[in-house]
Amino acid sequence: MSPCHRQVDMMKFPRRNFALALIPLLAACAHAPQQVAATTPTPASRASLDQIVETPKLALPKVAMTDNMLYEFLLGDIAAQRNQPKLAAQAYLDLAKTTRDPRVARRAAQLAYESRDYDTAVESFKLWEELEPASPLAKQLYLSLLLSGGKLQEARPLLDEVLRADPASAGRTFTSTYPMAAHGTQDKSAILAWTIAVTHPYPDVAEGHWAVAQAAAAAGKQDLALAEIHRAVTLRPDWDVAAVFEAQLYLNSEPQKGLDLLKKFLDAHPENRELRLYYARALLNQKQFAAARDEFQRLLDDRPDSPDLAFAVALISMQMGEYDRAEKELQQALNKGGRDESTVHYYLAQLNEARKDDAAALEHYRLVKEGEYGYAARLREVALLDKAGKLDEALDALHRAVAKNDEQRVQLIMIDAQLLRENKKYETSYQVLAEGLKKFPENPDLLYQTAMAADKLDKVELFEKLIRKLMKISPDNAHAYNALGYSLLDRKVRIKEAMKLVEKAYQLEPDDAAITDSMGWGYYLMGNLDESLKFLNRAFAANPDPEIAAHLGEVMWMHGDKAGARKIWTDSAKANPDSEALKAVMKRFIP
């Protein structure tokens, strides 16, 4: 059987990259220092809204109550009580327009916010700001509403007023308004131009340069972003937000420079734990494992009861191959509690696998309960039991695995079939796949594996039926064309049709060694030995598989290079003493 006909090995699971696995595990405790809280596209926070309904002393209009006004009051209040905020907001907005009373306008603005009707909210906040022009709150809330809605030009004069009214708070204003503008507008170039314009009159405000740097980075203007954030750091050298953003800009292009900037700031502010966590993660991302571990260890020394930090140190030690140290650190993390015990047992199992102690690994995998790592642990348990030749125990462990989705359910079926096939239980393996196919009749992987199992049992018509169904479902599946094409070649029937199928597969995946082998074998059967050798040599160079070696040796022999054929077969047989393909071809040519 050609390598193109081999079933996928579902038992080969790669070892985890322990350091990369660590990154999401630390997400909850290792963020960059907060820059500015993300601003949602709403005009105000809940606390600010409560202030809207306060009633300071105002010059109120003298308006006589009319039946229509009373109706609007009642309509608005009843609608609000009955959870109809849009109707309530519109009623109070109409009433505010009629009475010109700022108290009513405030109430309209509050209700409009709660209704989440943007157009009504804009109109209500605009009216409130107009009727109470001395209110900073009215201006700020109206400004935030315009920015969150992407109305940059309408917001500009209002922002200028806010800045002129309180220039000492310009920095706070810039750090709060830029995120709203960025959230509300998709045009990054427009945001950048707007941010430059509004911050230009305040050249000594670090937050203004920070805002421009943010906008420039978003617009892809790296040089401008670097220049602006450096100015911000110069103006406020103790501001960790600016220092971190400057480092972030370098981490992608000049990572070491970014790391150096973070370290420099940390050296000046060693008490900044949040920044140290960020620095540790940055080192981890750059695969500077020893330095990253040192930083996590410093944090752990300050917080010796933290299971997450202990776990982080352990995983880095695993990544560095220091398994004895990692085992002690994982045991410490286990003893501290907090971290899910199953997670720690899973990594202890991985550690023991890495140092070739399968028995210890198996013991820890069995301690992993169902959860995040339960499924993966069961599969590793199956693989280790299969490796030890304990088929029944492996199948039992497999049947205890709990799949979370259809993809995993299909995977379990195929692993079940693989275990049986590898133990030469071909008919039972086929039955497992056939039963699985009844549950997932359109699954391409299951169709392919079932077809291959049918071919192994010489169920030729069923094999072709399943493969053609797969071609229909997945018309770009190169292995489907190759499987049918090679099957025809192997049986030496419908050779021209077989070559068309193999050529189709080759067009889809010209670098696949198994398909290249099929091309070479097809040319051999058609009598074109030179072309056959070209393809078979390329296939063997890409993958020195014993079945490809069997084909290559046969064609070399027929081409007159008997010594070369003997060497290919002999060398391959030494490396693959159980290869049936090699045994068969050598028996035919070297009795």
Side-chain angles (χ1 to χ4, degrees), residues 6-17:
R6 277 203 209 102
Q7 275 90 346
V8 175
D9 188 352
M10 301 299 295
M11 299 295 292
K12 291 184 178 179
F13 307 108
R15 281 186 57 206
R16 294 176 66 89
N17 183 314

Side-chain angles (χ1 to χ4, degrees), residues 321-361:
E322 298 181 13
Y323 299 129
D324 291 342
R325 172 174 172 166
E327 183 174 28
K328 292 179 182 178
E329 290 163 344
L330 283 171
Q331 289 291 353
Q332 289 173 2
L334 196 62
N335 295 335
K336 291 177 189 298
R339 168 62 63 182
D340 175 43
E341 289 187 5
S342 287
T343 298
V344 182
H345 282 299
Y346 180 78
Y347 281 99
L348 280 166
Q350 293 262 298
L351 181 153
N352 281 291
E353 270 204 87
R355 59 187 183 187
K356 313 297 185 186
D357 189 345
D358 290 352

Side-chain angles (χ1 to χ4, degrees), residues 163 227 245 274 279 311 319 325 348 401 434 467 496:
L163 290 167
F245 188 60
E274 192 174 12
Y279 177 50
F311 190 65
Q319 184 65 40
R325 172 174 172 166
L348 280 166
I467 285 293
K496 289 185 178 179

Side-chain angles (χ1 to χ4, degrees), residues 87-140:
L87 178 58
Q90 189 60 56
Y92 265 92
L93 177 57
D94 292 341
L95 192 60
K97 289 178 181 178
T98 302
T99 64
R100 307 289 292 175
D101 189 319
R103 298 169 300 178
V104 181
R106 285 196 209 112
R107 178 62 173 156
Q110 180 190 22
L111 290 168
Y113 166 80
E114 292 173 350
S115 74
R116 303 201 178 277
D117 183 338
Y118 183 77
D119 292 335
T120 303
V122 168
E123 192 174 0
S124 300
F125 276 89
K126 181 178 181 180
L127 180 60
W128 176 31
E129 195 274 332
E130 178 186 330
L131 295 176
E132 198 174 342
S135 169
L137 182 60
K139 282 185 173 57
Q140 291 164 3

Side-chain angles (χ1 to χ4, degrees), residues 523-542:
Y523 277 116
Y524 171 59
L525 294 179
M526 294 175 70
N528 190 338
L529 300 189
D530 290 337
E531 198 70 10
S532 174
L533 282 174
K534 183 175 74 172
F535 278 95
L536 290 173
N537 274 311
R538 188 150 61 85
F540 190 71

Side-chain angles (χ1 to χ4, degrees), residues 356-405:
K356 313 297 185 186
D357 189 345
D358 290 352
L362 192 59
E363 182 179 346
H364 282 291
Y365 281 130
R366 284 171 169 164
L367 291 172
V368 178
K369 308 303 179 186
E370 294 310 322
E372 182 180 1
Y373 292 98
Y375 180 78
R378 293 294 80 71
L379 295 194
R380 292 309 308 151
E381 185 181 349
V382 170
L384 291 176
L385 289 167
D386 178 56
K387 180 181 175 182
K390 299 178 179 179
L391 176 62
D392 291 340
E393 289 184 47
L395 290 172
D396 179 64
L398 181 70
H399 298 155
R400 285 188 282 107
V402 178
K404 297 178 181 178
N405 51 52

Side-chain angles (χ1 to χ4, degrees), residues 561-582:
D561 186 3
K562 295 183 179 181
R566 286 176 184 272
K567 179 172 175 50
I568 287 284
W569 289 333
T570 303
D571 290 348
S572 186
K574 288 179 182 178
N576 305 277
D578 296 327
S579 172
E580 296 297 331
L582 280 172

